[in-house]
Amino acid sequence: MVEGQIPIQEYQTGNTKHTWNIEKLLSAHKKLSEHSYTKGIVEKGYANRTLYVNLTTGEIKEKNVSEDMKHLFTGGRGFGLKLLWDSIKPTTRWNSEENELIITTGPLCGITQYPGSGKSLCLTVSPSTNIICDSNVGGFFGPYLKFAGFDALEIQGKAKKDVVIVIDGETGTVSIESAPLEETNSHLLSEQLTHIYASEDSDVSRQKVSIVSAGTGAEHSYWGCMNFSFYDIRRKVPRLKQAGRGGLGTVLRDKHVKAIVVKVETIDGVSNHPVDPDTLAMVGTKIHREIRDLDRFQCNMRSVGTAHLAEIMDAYDLLPTENYRFGSFPKAPRIYSPEFYKLFTKIIPDGCWHGCTMACAKTVDGYTVMTGPYKGQKVTVDGPEYETVGCGSNMSLWDPLWILEFNFYCDTYGIDTISAGTAIAYYMEMYEYGILNKERCDGLELCFGNGEAVLELLHRIAKGDTGEFIQTAAKGIRRVKDWLKKKNWGEPYLIEECGMESKGLEYSEYVTKESLAMQGGYGLTLKGPQHDEAWLIFMDMVNNQIPTFQDKAEALHYFPMWRTWFGLNGLCKLPWNDIEPENNAETDEPAKVPEHVQNYVDLFTAVTGVKVDKNELINQSERCYNWQRATNVWLGRGTRKDDWIPYRSMGPVTPLEYGSRMQRYDDQLVEKLGLKKEEVEKMSIEERIKELYRYRQDQYQKLADAVYYRRGWTPNGIPTPQKMKSLGFTDKKMLSMLQKKIDEDEKNGLNKWCGTYRGKEKPPSDIPRYWEKW
Amino acid sequence: MQETNTVKILRFHPEKCIGCLSCEKACSKVHFKTEEGGENSAIHIIKKNETFEMNVCDQRGLCLDMCPVGALARNKKGIVILDVKRCIGCQACVAFCPINAMRKSSKRIEPFKCISCGACVRACPEGALELVETPIKDIRKVVYHKQGA
Ligand code: SF4
Ligand code: SF4
């Protein structure tokens, strides 16, 4: 449909239409608990209270947000970290009674003038990692939660049966209701609930409702994502954005929450009551125009979203193919973005929040489902994003339709495409080696490229299949590694080093073998290997801008802090550097996009009235970043050992991989390791792999040394009490916990650098317990 | 909503204009009950060397496909109307208008635009403005949506 100017009420998607018996669904609801609250107004970006819901006891209460909390934690993910710290214990695991699922907003969340300002930040103790996982997601829920009266929502305890939590900003009530008859899978459930809770039978009313849900796949796997809805007045369906990583949806379903509903009475351009709306409009208009004029020459986000990355990654040998063995593939052009462009619906304001003119939230409408319970129906598929396309190449699925099918079912089942795709790619490689086979896979022929088997696996997970493989596979790579080793089905080296997980979480879709900084960007992280902390491949590998360990450490300090900032404020990272001012390349630090950093400084002040500069933004992040690492330590992880990454992310694990880039690796043995060309030629491939392995592992340890030092941590990666105090923290429980851990490390000899330093090379500091001198 | 194939748009006769800005004053009266003109007027008359230029919406409707909440639509007469109650002030229409004719006044967050009401035509002492019936297909413009330059 490339016509434009179609009146909204006449717009057609060609999707299968559903009619629901709303009365029947609703009459089966029983109110289990209810709480009325005074509707307040949001002031300078803050609602100044949070909402606490306990599903075990039925308690619903409001908590005050203090000035101190705003100062130390800013908002969004920062608030989430503080609320978690106050509620959980060091022994808390994902399915513990006291584990919380938190959805937060942030002071800039919900402004409409600047693109990318409607994100929710979700946190919980993750089933995959047993530490805190945070996930940034679009959709209307976050802004509506704030405009309904709350900066954050905290859910503790577990309901006995499936419930929905309803936050009604129109009447000022919060209720917990049983919801036995609704569907569970998200594309249908969000539609039902949107119709049930909209005040009137109109698109305007439906657009004022947002639903959080997770499907049956989230119930039966550790890959559960949460779907956040945003009702599309043109397509007339609630569309879905995913809080994907770390199993948030799994926790949601474990708490027996079928959905969370939020509804607002009104919204307008100043619902946040910013101190300076004119500046918001001015800065916003400036970047909207940049997008208008430059996006088509830069990322083409408006036409294909993040999918434009497929061809770039393929060109730079970074597109993960067949479980990250290769970074490019001859069949890859079949899934380049022009192939998806053909399928995407065009000329629609595709922002996942109002006013996002970057509009990367593309859909395929009227897609005919090929397999499973919805076979033959026509649906709207949200995506695919680059990551999902990358999952396709990783599983060797080179047909856009299979990628769409995978995308659709992952979403509606509440499964994170990244975790599932990366994990299945690993299972496929194990299948190729015979470590897995049809029998061991409960009858599935999980070889590379078998789209039907991939979908069958998803369907069986969603149905709660009890096969040993299905059950283990659904828990992700880490559990499968342990299972394969226990079964003694293969060489532990292959099993361990090929599986792309760190901390128990699956990698997202970039090949990092040739970028040491990016290996750190995945490994030296808080929640696990997700590229949202740093994306340094071009700076490091292509442009060689950060050659030394110190340079890399500086980048692995600045960028994770900077990117954390978006999550504290309820913002999307994409409009920061997926569009750049025309003269960006001529600025001092193009990688930082200085003009856009200034935009954020101006926005923060225009909303909150608090005067800040760009350094203060980094301080805000540093506080929360360190707090989260410290919480990981408290939960028993967050040390050097936990920042381990598999060798597949560092270099060639197998002779096949080595052979595929033979020249590159041979040259490195000469140039970097100082071997003679003739020596290399005499070595077997296995010996060359071993040499490279030793070298690269040491490089990673040296990088960790430099990064920990730069971040103000001990050589074992523990944030020091001295650092925490300098950030303004006085929490005694936190400070003494860290000191105790550091003392223990001292006893166990862990406060030492782990790189091997020869000749002129030096560790970051030769002073023992250097942090005590700070 | 649209029931017509033509729409009234403003035509300017610079040779008659004396630059008195009566039109802007009349326009800001319609939109903001003020005679300040300038940023509160949907029509702008700009002096260019010895002559004048007009900048105003020509009802091309490119903004229709930019609005996330459906606050922009053609009315029965084909005129592009901004529904202030529905608008959430995102400025997408302001920024994407290729002729900068969607306006933002500091009086409120929601933009405003020419509604072809003719107040300016009536206010002009020299008869430099007129409303002319124009086929929508001749002026209709759709937002850039292709992949690549
Ligand atoms: S850039 Fe994309 S993901 Fe970010 S807010 Fe806009 S539409 Fe959503
Ligand atoms: S400013 Fe108002 S009318 Fe213009 S696009 Fe945004 S919501 Fe629509």
Side-chain angles (χ1 to χ4, degrees):
Chain A
M1 191 164 353
V2 194
E3 290 170 32
Q5 298 199 17
I6 300 167
I8 287 168
Q9 47 294 10
E10 288 165 25
Y11 208 93
Q12 299 278 347
T13 54
N15 288 352
T16 305
K17 293 213 169 62
H18 304 108
T19 36
W20 315 109
N21 188 339
I22 303 282
E23 273 94 75
K24 188 170 159 216
L25 294 175
L26 198 55
S27 66
H29 283 207
K30 243 211 306 295
K31 274 209 178 123
L32 306 173
S33 185
E34 193 170 34
H35 168 82
S36 304
Y37 65 95
T38 338
K39 291 190 273 177
I41 50 163
V42 177
E43 275 174 286
K44 301 178 195 171
Y46 292 97
N48 291 312
R49 61 183 163 180
T50 62
L51 178 63
Y52 171 87
V53 174
N54 191 311
L55 294 168
T56 308
T57 63
E59 187 190 11
I60 304 174
K61 67 178 181 196
E62 298 158 45
K63 290 186 184 173
N64 221 29
V65 170
S66 67
E67 287 305 312
D68 207 37
M69 177 153 159
K70 287 196 248 180
H71 170 69
L72 283 174
F73 295 96
T74 308
R77 176 168 148 202
F79 279 12
L81 290 170
K82 167 70 175 142
L83 293 170
L84 269 177
W85 171 256
D86 289 341
S87 314
I88 60 171
K89 299 183 278 200
T91 48
T92 301
R93 292 297 169 259
W94 69 279
N95 53 0
S96 305
E97 181 72 24
E98 73 277 5
N99 188 20
E100 291 196 334
L101 187 68
I102 296 182
I103 302 177
T104 68
T105 64
L108 304 194
C109 179
I111 62 173
T112 58
Q113 295 78 23
Y114 202 84
S117 305
K119 295 283 185 161
S120 310
L121 278 294
C122 315
L123 300 91
T124 195
V125 175
S126 152
S128 305
T129 63
N130 291 321
I131 47 177
I132 294 176
C133 188
D134 56 275
S135 201
N136 175 319
V137 56
F140 296 164
F141 191 89
Y144 287 2
L145 175 67
K146 185 156 67 166
F147 301 148
F150 307 100
D151 291 318
L153 164 67
E154 209 181 341
I155 306 171
Q156 198 169 37
K158 293 186 195 189
K160 287 198 188 67
K161 288 201 184 109
D162 275 356
V163 295
V164 293
I165 300 169
V166 184
I167 304 161
D168 186 339
E170 214 172 87
T171 56
T173 45
V174 180
S175 56
I176 306 172
E177 304 173 9
S178 66
L181 300 185
E182 281 85 350
E183 301 279 341
T184 306
N185 289 335
S186 287
H187 79 293
L188 297 175
L189 174 62
S190 351
E191 199 167 315
Q192 290 177 326
L193 292 174
T194 302
H195 282 265
I196 290 176
Y197 288 99
S199 307
E200 288 165 20
D201 185 15
S202 72
D203 286 324
V204 175
S205 286
R206 285 189 277 277
Q207 208 180 20
K208 291 190 177 138
V209 178
S210 176
I211 314 291
V212 174
S213 63
T216 47
E219 261 163 52
H220 302 293
S221 75
Y222 282 3
W223 298 328
C225 70
M226 295 202 290
N227 286 303
F228 279 56
S229 80
F230 55 117
Y231 187 81
D232 189 323
I233 53 173
R234 290 171 174 85
R235 297 175 172 99
K236 295 160 196 78
V237 287
R239 297 179 44 198
L240 303 174
K241 276 276 177 186
Q242 291 74 34
R245 308 309 324 271
L248 294 146
T250 305
V251 175
L252 187 83
R253 294 302 294 135
D254 182 61
K255 294 188 175 304
H256 286 119
V257 178
K258 210 170 203 177
I260 314 167
V261 181
V262 71
K263 174 161 124 187
V264 284
E265 191 171 13
T266 53
I267 56 155
D268 59 33
V270 287
S271 292
N272 265 310
H273 292 96
V275 294
D276 177 6
D278 280 349
T279 295
L280 293 183
M282 201 181 70
V283 181
T285 303
K286 185 178 75 170
I287 191 163
H288 288 317
R289 290 207 170 120
E290 252 169 64
I291 292 171
R292 175 189 76 180
D293 297 336
L294 303 173
D295 176 58
R296 71 190 74 162
F297 305 105
Q298 296 181 8
C299 296
N300 281 291
M301 297 291 271
R302 284 182 55 77
S303 53
V304 290
T306 55
H308 76 275
L309 287 166
E311 44 269 36
I312 302 176
M313 295 308 135
D314 189 42
Y316 284 94
D317 208 19
L318 301 168
L319 178 72
T321 304
E322 295 196 344
N323 195 30
Y324 302 83
R325 286 190 293 190
F326 318 112
S328 61
F329 210 69
K331 290 181 187 168
R334 296 185 199 171
I335 57 169
Y336 282 0
S337 65
E339 299 305 316
F340 289 100
Y341 177 74
K342 289 181 199 157
L343 302 166
F344 287 148
T345 307
K346 297 158 187 85
I347 326 185
I348 289 207
D350 275 326
C352 69
W353 169 240
H354 299 319
C356 186
T357 47
M358 192 125 223
C360 78
K362 297 297 153 203
T363 74
V364 178
D365 293 309
Y367 168 75
T368 311
V369 181
M370 302 189 287
T371 68
Y374 307 114
K375 185 171 172 177
Q377 298 202 13
K378 287 182 186 285
V379 296
T380 286
V381 186
D382 269 286
E385 305 248 7
Y386 163 71
E387 297 297 326
T388 308
V389 178
C391 290
S393 68
N394 234 342
M395 296 183 283
S396 220
L397 303 181
W398 303 106
D399 180 346
L401 293 183
W402 277 109
I403 293 176
L404 285 174
E405 184 83 3
F406 173 73
N407 197 154
F408 168 72
Y409 270 113
C410 279
D411 288 357
T412 196
Y413 284 154
I415 288 177
D416 172 29
T417 55
I418 299 179
S419 290
T422 296
I424 296 171
Y426 168 66
Y427 307 156
M428 287 173 159
E429 188 181 352
M430 294 299 108
Y431 198 99
E432 185 176 297
Y433 301 153
I435 294 173
L436 285 172
N437 55 38
K438 192 168 171 184
E439 197 197 324
R440 292 173 183 174
C441 289
D442 296 331
L444 292 176
E445 274 179 274
L446 268 186
C447 35
F448 281 116
N450 189 350
E452 273 166 69
V454 171
L455 266 294
E456 184 57 25
L457 174 59
L458 295 182
H459 298 320
R460 282 168 70 175
I461 289 173
K463 269 193 274 189
D465 189 302
T466 53
E468 191 182 356
F469 171 73
I470 307 279
Q471 293 258 320
T472 319
K475 293 194 172 74
I477 295 178
R478 184 63 255 165
R479 274 71 178 184
V480 169
K481 282 181 178 175
D482 295 339
W483 181 65
L484 293 176
K485 286 197 288 192
K486 205 172 101 204
K487 295 271 186 187
N488 220 349
W489 281 341
E491 213 187 307
Y493 165 78
L494 274 183
I495 293 172
E496 224 17 271
E497 304 289 10
C498 294
M500 287 289 278
E501 57 78 28
S502 165
K503 302 182 175 61
L505 184 70
E506 284 79 8
Y507 268 67
S508 65
E509 311 307 313
Y510 297 99
V511 170
T512 55
K513 286 173 202 168
E514 300 311 312
S515 168
L516 178 60
M518 192 58 209
Q519 291 162 27
Y522 270 126
L524 310 173
T525 47
L526 296 172
K527 68 167 165 279
Q530 169 73 356
H531 56 279
D532 64 342
E533 280 203 16
W535 202 93
L536 302 173
I537 302 184
F538 281 171
M539 259 183 113
D540 189 30
M541 174 189 114
V542 181
N543 302 330
N544 200 20
Q545 287 164 322
I546 41 174
T548 67
F549 285 108
Q550 229 180 352
D551 297 333
K552 292 186 209 301
E554 189 53 43
L556 282 169
H557 178 258
Y558 177 82
F559 288 101
M561 298 313 146
W562 172 243
R563 286 166 172 256
T564 294
W565 192 79
F566 295 98
L568 307 183
N569 286 283
L571 297 178
C572 174
K573 163 262 154 195
L574 300 177
W576 159 56
N577 72 346
D578 282 67
I579 183 79
E580 289 176 354
E582 216 162 3
N583 65 351
N584 189 54
E586 292 141 36
T587 57
D588 296 354
E589 298 177 287
K592 294 184 180 174
V593 200
E595 186 179 320
H596 287 180
V597 171
Q598 187 57 40
N599 286 354
Y600 290 108
V601 169
D602 295 342
L603 292 179
F604 190 83
T605 303
V607 173
T608 63
V610 179
K611 285 252 172 329
V612 289
D613 60 14
K614 61 179 183 186
N615 300 324
E616 177 52 22
L617 303 190
I618 297 297
N619 290 343
Q620 291 176 340
S621 292
E622 229 190 323
R623 289 195 276 270
C624 297
Y625 194 93
N626 280 279
W627 187 272
Q628 188 165 341
R629 179 77 174 192
T631 309
N632 287 352
V633 173
W634 187 52
L635 288 167
R637 307 195 77 188
T639 65
R640 185 183 288 256
K641 162 164 109 330
D642 303 296
D643 290 344
W644 171 91
I645 54 173
Y647 190 63
R648 176 55 56 77
S649 65
M650 294 186 199
V653 176
T654 63
L656 176 73
E657 277 169 279
Y658 193 100
S660 76
R661 306 286 184 271
M662 178 93 98
Q663 191 68 46
R664 175 196 295 167
Y665 297 133
D666 281 355
D667 287 351
Q668 287 181 8
L669 289 176
V670 175
E671 283 155 23
K672 301 217 164 133
L673 282 76
L675 296 175
K676 290 209 185 68
K677 203 159 174 244
E678 307 76 67
E679 283 179 291
V680 174
E681 273 158 14
K682 275 193 222 121
M683 288 159 72
S684 70
I685 300 289
E686 281 77 9
E687 284 165 338
R688 295 181 214 182
I689 290 177
K690 258 199 201 127
E691 279 301 311
L692 205 58
Y693 181 94
R694 271 219 309 267
Y695 172 75
R696 292 194 173 193
Q697 290 285 9
D698 182 50
Q699 292 277 306
Y700 184 72
Q701 292 308 328
K702 282 176 172 153
L703 179 72
D705 287 350
V707 170
Y708 293 162
Y709 183 74
R710 174 62 187 90
R711 289 181 182 168
W713 299 351
T714 68
N716 198 28
I718 313 295
T720 62
Q722 288 78 1
K723 175 79 192 175
M724 298 302 277
K725 279 189 209 153
S726 78
L727 292 169
F729 291 121
T730 52
D731 188 305
K732 284 212 185 70
K733 182 172 86 167
M734 171 74 74
L735 297 177
S736 61
M737 178 273 295
L738 291 171
Q739 190 57 53
K740 205 170 132 220
K741 172 71 185 152
I742 293 171
D743 292 344
E744 263 170 44
D745 283 355
E746 187 71 28
K747 244 186 264 150
N748 297 326
L750 294 173
N751 287 338
K752 64 166 198 331
W753 302 118
C754 292
T756 321
Y757 296 91
R758 288 197 192 86
K760 281 202 203 103
E761 296 174 337
K762 271 206 169 90
S765 166
D766 40 27
I767 306 169
R769 293 194 302 284
Y770 48 86
W771 56 93
E772 288 176 0
K773 324 257 162 347
W774 285 341
Chain B
M1 187 64 67
Q2 178 195 344
E3 287 173 2
T4 155
N5 296 321
T6 60
V7 60
K8 280 202 176 80
I9 65 172
L10 280 168
R11 182 179 294 161
F12 181 51
H13 301 285
E15 69 287 357
K16 295 188 187 164
C17 178
I18 53 165
C20 69
L21 303 186
S22 303
C23 56
E24 292 197 10
K25 289 170 199 153
C27 183
S28 66
K29 186 113 201 213
V30 171
H31 290 283
F32 296 104
K33 300 192 171 64
T34 156
E35 295 198 354
E36 289 164 77
E39 64 146 28
N40 300 308
S41 168
I43 179 169
H44 285 180
I45 299 295
I46 306 139
K47 192 162 164 51
K48 247 299 172 56
N49 303 325
E50 290 312 296
T51 171
F52 295 97
E53 278 174 10
M54 172 186 72
N55 178 262
V56 75
C57 174
D58 61 6
Q59 314 299 345
R60 61 180 63 198
L62 179 141
C63 55
L64 294 171
D65 293 318
M66 289 305 297
C67 183
V69 291
L72 291 162
R74 281 193 200 276
N75 68 7
K76 280 189 191 136
K77 296 178 184 161
I79 301 162
V80 176
I81 299 289
L82 187 155
D83 178 350
V84 183
K85 279 214 212 72
R86 219 157 143 177
C87 169
I88 45 87
C90 71
Q91 318 299 321
C93 54
V94 174
F96 271 67
C97 177
I99 55 169
N100 297 330
M102 182 66 83
R103 306 253 189 259
K104 166 76 177 66
S105 148
S106 51
K107 293 217 187 306
R108 65 166 197 231
I109 196 76
E110 300 86 4
F112 69 104
K113 69 178 292 297
C114 170
I115 51 172
S116 292
C117 68
C120 54
V121 176
R122 289 189 295 278
C124 178
E126 306 295 325
L129 291 163
E130 66 174 320
L131 276 171
V132 288
E133 205 67 57
T134 311
I136 292 177
K137 66 170 181 16
D138 293 354
I139 46 164
R140 189 178 170 279
K141 290 270 156 50
V142 172
V143 65
Y144 186 91
H145 59 270
K146 296 191 190 67
Q147 182 177 20

